[in-house]
Amino acid sequence: MQMSIPRAVAANFLGKAPTWYKQAIITFLIINPLLFIYNPYIAGWALVVEFIFTLAMALKCYPLQPGGLLLMEALFIGMTSPEHMKHEMVVNIEVILLLVFMVAGIYFMKELLLYLFTKLVLKLKNKIALSIAFAASSAFLSAFLDALTVVAVIITVGLGFYSIYHKVASGKDFQADHDHSHDEEVPSPSRQDLESFRAFLRNLMMHAGIGTALGGVMTMVGEPQNLIIADKAGWDFVEFFVRMSPITIPVFIAGLTTTFVVEKFKLFTYGAELPPIVREILTDYSKHVDANLTLQDKTRLTIQGLIAIWLVVGLAGHFAAVGLIGLSIIVLATSMSGVIDEHSIGKAFEEALPFTALLCVFFGVVAVIIDQGLFTPVISWVLTFEGKTQLVMFYLANGLLSMVSDNVFVGSVYITEVTAALNSGAITRDQFDLLAVAINTGTNLPSVATPNGQAAFLFLLTSAIAPLLRLSYGTMVYMALPYTIVLTLTGLAATYLGLIDLTSWLYDIHLIEHHSAAAAAAADNIPVAH
């Protein structure tokens, strides 16, 4: 039977996505202009909810296409302008460069990463210890590096583990070419081991993702909004860490404790063990690699190790934008490993570029949020409170908005409003400092609730490993729930109990003592150490 043109168009629209999903997107596209005519504010919130829906259904259809269609319509009907969207992209150019170059740079270091993490997984046979190690190391790295970079490393490692087992379970040797996205070649007796291995890797991915939030909130370089807040407040690295520490350190301890509890008692699908057959295969792989390492291979691994040191030093020292350091990783890793043809280099960009495009669509949605003033009523309402109640409300409001929007955007909007209030004399400098702490912790901690709250989580959701591990939006929300509750309540308790007041007081005392010593030393012409 010959297909009609309308049927052909319907079949091509969003490809193999379910029919109900296609109908939902078409419905959104029809009602949005009508809502915009009726009430632009309602239409703006409808667009945000619809975009979150496309993220939640990421395993049904990659969000770039449906989200992009919704945004294009929003641009055409005037919810925002292409110029404003471009402005949001320019403001976030460092994040875009990071995704384009840093993720590709990590790709060229996968041999070293897989080698080291294979040793770690095989050495730490206790799942609880391994989970805490993943969370703690991700937190430490995220305090000095970018969370997206850390997640890119973890994804690379996870994909490496998965492809090794999937290849062997399909009856092939370590060197064979293999498509690990299809399970047809995996015999039935091995399917249960494959599912158990997926659950094990899902656990590690989520622990590592949460770790990036635990470390990212601590320092001014941990998250993009931290830099914005530190700049507005005039804080250096040490002052930022000290002022945040009464909240961030208890939260860090609570986070690792949560890791222990969910693994120990197998809560929220955690506690999945590495199947013995998988451990045996990874052990064989490790032995195979060690036995077949040539001098050239050892030299390449050594060079990748040196490049990794440059990566950490370069990012920690802020010698250049993160993306530019990523570009240097690509140049160094490829030139020293003989990867000189365009086709081989191009493979490294396959993972990051779709997400980069999706993030640009997200920046367009942020432009809609700003132009339609979707958060303005909440911001105005929170500013009506005073004292400790105001701190708590800032923390909660930032957290709730960060769950549905980007925490960088929410943090930027709130710190700008608070800075304006300080400049107008509506609040004191002491109030400003305390509110800045509440804004930073509020945007970083409760935002772990959903993948759209943090770019690193969204990257994990839309990465190549998510469908392989059956890591859907709902699964991420469910697995993050114990962390969301513990981190949010711990941060809230620290804010309410006035710990940030104590730190502010102690830090001010330190500054007074330092300035007094400096003045006395200046009178005696004696240098004072900072």
Side-chain angles (χ1 to χ4, degrees):
M1 180 177 176
Q2 191 173 6
M3 182 180 290
S4 64
I5 292 178
R7 286 182 177 275
V9 171
N12 286 334
F13 180 67
L14 298 182
K16 296 181 180 179
T19 301
W20 65 264
Y21 182 87
K22 297 180 180 183
Q23 292 171 345
I25 298 301
I26 291 172
T27 302
F28 295 157
L29 292 171
I30 292 172
I31 65 173
N32 284 354
L34 301 177
L35 280 176
F36 187 69
I37 294 172
Y38 172 71
N39 188 315
Y41 184 80
I42 294 176
W45 270 112
L47 180 69
V48 171
V49 172
E50 291 160 4
F51 186 71
I52 292 173
F53 169 81
T54 66
L55 297 178
M57 295 292 112
L59 295 186
K60 301 293 184 184
C61 178
Y62 192 73
L64 173 62
Q65 291 84 359
L69 289 172
L70 292 169
L71 175 64
M72 288 175 63
E73 182 183 66
L75 289 167
F76 273 113
I77 65 179
M79 283 190 180
T80 188
S81 67
E83 195 60 33
H84 191 175
M85 178 179 172
K86 175 188 170 185
H87 171 74
E88 293 301 319
M89 291 170 62
V90 171
V91 169
N92 291 279
I93 187 63
E94 288 200 18
V95 178
I96 294 173
L97 288 176
L98 182 153
L99 286 167
V100 173
F101 295 125
M102 181 60 79
V103 176
I106 296 299
Y107 174 88
F108 292 110
M109 296 175 62
K110 63 181 181 181
E111 284 180 282
L112 175 67
L113 294 171
L114 188 56
Y115 182 82
L116 294 176
F117 275 89
T118 300
K119 300 293 185 186
L120 175 65
V121 169
L122 295 177
K123 192 174 183 64
L124 281 178
K125 296 183 179 181
N126 184 296
K127 173 67 185 309
I128 296 176
L130 182 64
S131 299
I132 292 175
F134 262 72
S137 58
S138 296
F140 177 78
L141 290 173
S142 295
F144 298 97
L145 312 181
D146 187 274
L148 279 167
T149 304
V150 177
V151 169
V153 170
I154 298 301
I155 289 173
T156 301
V157 171
L159 273 173
F161 286 157
Y162 185 85
S163 62
I164 290 168
Y165 172 70
H166 203 279
K167 188 182 298 184
V168 174
S170 300
K172 300 177 182 178
D173 59 38
F174 297 126
Q175 306 298 331
D177 292 329
H178 180 66
D179 182 4
H180 53 245
S181 62
H182 298 286
D183 296 343
E184 287 81 3
E185 297 181 50
V186 180
S188 295
S190 298
R191 290 290 176 90
Q192 184 55 49
D193 289 325
L194 178 60
E195 292 304 320
S196 298
F197 188 37
R198 280 174 173 150
F200 174 81
L201 288 179
R202 279 198 301 269
N203 289 180
L204 294 186
M205 293 294 109
M206 287 303 296
H207 289 318
I210 296 295
T212 63
L214 294 176
V217 69
M218 287 187 170
T219 66
M220 63 181 287
V221 299
E223 291 281 353
Q225 73 269 25
N226 299 18
L227 280 169
I228 298 170
I229 292 170
D231 178 65
K232 295 284 188 182
W235 296 340
D236 60 17
F237 188 94
V238 174
E239 183 172 359
F240 187 97
F241 176 80
V242 171
R243 288 190 181 276
M244 299 296 162
S245 59
I247 296 180
T248 57
I249 291 177
V251 163
F252 176 75
I253 295 170
L256 294 187
T257 303
T258 305
T259 302
F260 174 84
V261 171
V262 295
E263 284 291 337
K264 176 70 175 177
F265 298 101
K266 302 183 186 301
L267 305 174
F268 295 89
T269 72
Y270 290 104
E273 297 288 344
L274 182 65
I277 184 63
V278 180
R279 181 177 295 280
E280 183 180 330
I281 289 173
L282 292 179
T283 301
D284 290 342
Y285 170 78
S286 181
K287 291 177 180 177
H288 170 79
V289 170
D290 290 341
N292 291 276
L293 278 178
T294 64
L295 180 60
Q296 188 174 355
D297 293 330
K298 292 177 181 178
T299 303
R300 186 166 59 250
L301 289 175
T302 302
I303 290 173
Q304 288 183 16
L306 294 174
I307 294 172
I309 293 173
W310 152 241
L311 171 65
V312 174
V313 172
L315 290 174
H318 305 289
F319 297 141
V322 178
L324 297 183
I325 293 176
L327 180 58
S328 74
I329 297 298
I330 295 174
V331 173
L332 291 171
T334 55
S335 61
M336 299 304 293
S337 61
V339 181
I340 57 173
D341 62 287
E342 183 179 0
H343 179 70
S344 298
I345 295 174
K347 290 181 180 178
F349 293 88
E350 292 177 0
E351 174 70 17
L353 288 184
F355 181 72
T356 306
L358 174 61
L359 199 63
C360 290
V361 170
F362 182 76
F363 292 146
V365 175
V366 169
V368 171
I369 291 173
I370 296 172
D371 285 346
Q372 301 306 319
L374 302 188
F375 292 172
T376 302
V378 180
I379 295 171
S380 301
W381 176 64
V382 171
L383 285 171
T384 62
F385 292 92
E386 296 181 356
K388 188 177 292 186
T389 304
Q390 188 182 59
L391 290 177
V392 170
M393 295 308 299
F394 258 80
Y395 176 89
L396 291 175
N398 276 271
L400 289 172
L401 293 178
S402 293
M403 290 179 188
V404 299
S405 180
D406 177 48
N407 56 3
V408 179
F409 163 69
V410 175
S412 301
V413 170
Y414 265 91
I415 196 64
T416 300
E417 292 291 333
V418 171
T419 302
L422 174 65
N423 293 336
S424 67
I427 60 175
T428 65
R429 175 66 204 198
D430 287 341
Q431 275 182 285
F432 173 87
D433 289 337
L434 297 176
L435 289 173
V437 175
I439 292 170
N440 181 67
T441 52
T443 55
N444 276 292
L445 299 177
S447 59
V448 302
T450 64
N452 42 295
Q454 297 205 15
F457 278 43
L458 187 58
F459 183 36
L460 177 59
L461 173 68
T462 56
S463 68
I465 199 171
L468 298 178
L469 304 185
R470 311 299 189 257
L471 193 59
S472 66
Y473 187 100
T475 300
M476 288 188 71
V477 170
Y478 180 71
M479 294 181 73
L481 184 59
Y483 287 104
T484 303
I485 295 171
V486 172
L487 302 191
T488 301
L489 292 181
T490 303
L492 181 63
T495 303
Y496 182 76
L497 293 174
L499 293 180
I500 51 178
D501 291 281
L502 175 63
T503 306
S504 179
W505 178 73
L506 290 174
Y507 199 84
D508 289 341
I509 291 295
H510 165 72
L511 290 178
I512 291 171
E513 290 175 349
H514 175 77
H515 291 318
S516 299
D524 297 330
N525 201 22
I526 300 173
V528 176
H530 290 267

